[in-house]
């Protein structure tokens, strides 16, 4: 995790891999203070939510043979573990076959117990205060305009390469 654009890249790629038809990206202060990715993809099973943020975990490989035919943009657990370890976060998710969703909140490596919640199918991930626990890393971030520019360029490239998916990028409201 280098900057807000790397957070957005990983989370949007996870949404694409989850089969999202629409992805909304909301940022505050170029993503430094808040990045929220909302998708209508397949969601995460409630009993897998804590595992999804564990290092070296992935929900994208089910069998050893899957290593020979990787068709995803990355490994959900690796990205989520790295991102959540340097932020305050919440993940709200629901699969289409579940009557309710689940929410996991945390701060760095400290996780709260997942709790049931009402939400539409898909996943919403909110990342707040990026690098709150690594102030030296936070100092390397550039101006809000520069950080937002990196995110905007990235989202434009992802949208162009996935024309069947609707993208919406919102900055500071």
């Amino acid at each position: 995790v280098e900057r807000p654009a790397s957070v957005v890249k990983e989370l949007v790629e996870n949404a694409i891999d989850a089969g999202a038809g629409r992805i909304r990206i909301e940022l505050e202060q170029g993503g430094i203070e808040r990045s929220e990715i909302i998708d209508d993809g397949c969601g995460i099973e409630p009993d897998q939510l804590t595992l999804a943020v564990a290092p070296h975990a992935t929900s994208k490989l089910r069998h050893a043979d899957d290593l020979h035919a990787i068709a995803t943009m990355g490994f959900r657990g690796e990205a989520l573990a790295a991102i959540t370890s340097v932020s305050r976060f919440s993940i709200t998710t629901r699969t289409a076959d579940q009557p309710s969703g689940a929410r996991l909140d945390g701060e760095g490596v400290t996780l709260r117990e997942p709790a049931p919640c009402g939400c539409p199918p898909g996943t919403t991930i909110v990342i707040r205060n990026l690098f709150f626990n690594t102030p030296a890393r936070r100092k390397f971030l550039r101006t809000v305009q520069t950080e937002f520019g990196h995110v905007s360029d990235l989202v434009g490239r992802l949208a162009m390469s996935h024309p069947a998916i609707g993208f919406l990028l919102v900055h500071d409201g």
Side-chain angles (χ1 to χ4, degrees):
V1 179
E2 298 174 4
R3 60 180 358 130
S6 59
V7 169
V8 171
K9 175 187 177 292
E10 295 295 343
L11 298 179
V12 169
E13 287 179 350
N14 283 346
I16 292 167
D17 285 344
R22 294 179 315 172
I23 302 170
R24 179 181 178 104
I25 303 111
E26 295 186 15
L27 305 175
E28 288 179 14
Q29 298 294 302
I32 298 167
E33 291 306 317
R34 186 175 143 275
S35 297
E36 182 171 358
I37 313 303
I38 305 159
D39 72 58
D40 62 353
C42 65
I44 303 169
E45 293 288 338
D47 63 339
Q48 298 292 308
L49 196 49
T50 303
L51 183 59
V53 298
H56 312 299
T58 182
S59 61
K60 296 181 180 181
L61 299 176
R62 301 278 184 213
H63 309 285
D65 290 339
D66 291 347
L67 285 170
H68 301 292
I70 295 175
T72 64
M73 299 185 80
F75 298 99
R76 175 175 288 141
E78 286 302 304
L80 286 177
I83 293 165
T84 58
S85 71
V86 295
S87 67
R88 294 180 173 103
F89 68 92
S90 70
I91 302 171
T92 306
T93 187
R94 183 179 138 214
T95 59
D97 62 338
Q98 294 289 323
S100 65
R103 179 177 169 130
L104 175 67
D105 293 303
E107 185 172 295
V109 295
T110 305
L111 303 178
R112 293 186 191 94
E113 283 295 315
C117 69
C119 63
T123 302
T124 297
I125 300 178
V126 180
I127 303 299
R128 289 186 177 87
N129 308 115
L130 188 61
F131 303 125
F132 81 98
N133 56 355
T134 52
R137 182 67 200 103
R138 192 170 172 108
K139 283 180 157 181
F140 283 99
L141 295 176
R142 302 293 177 223
T143 66
V144 168
Q145 293 104 329
T146 299
E147 296 301 336
F148 177 68
H150 288 292
V151 173
S152 181
D153 289 345
L154 166 76
V155 172
R157 286 192 307 273
L158 287 168
M160 294 287 285
S161 62
H162 296 87
I165 299 173
F167 287 83
L168 178 62
L169 176 59
V170 178
H171 185 237
D172 289 337

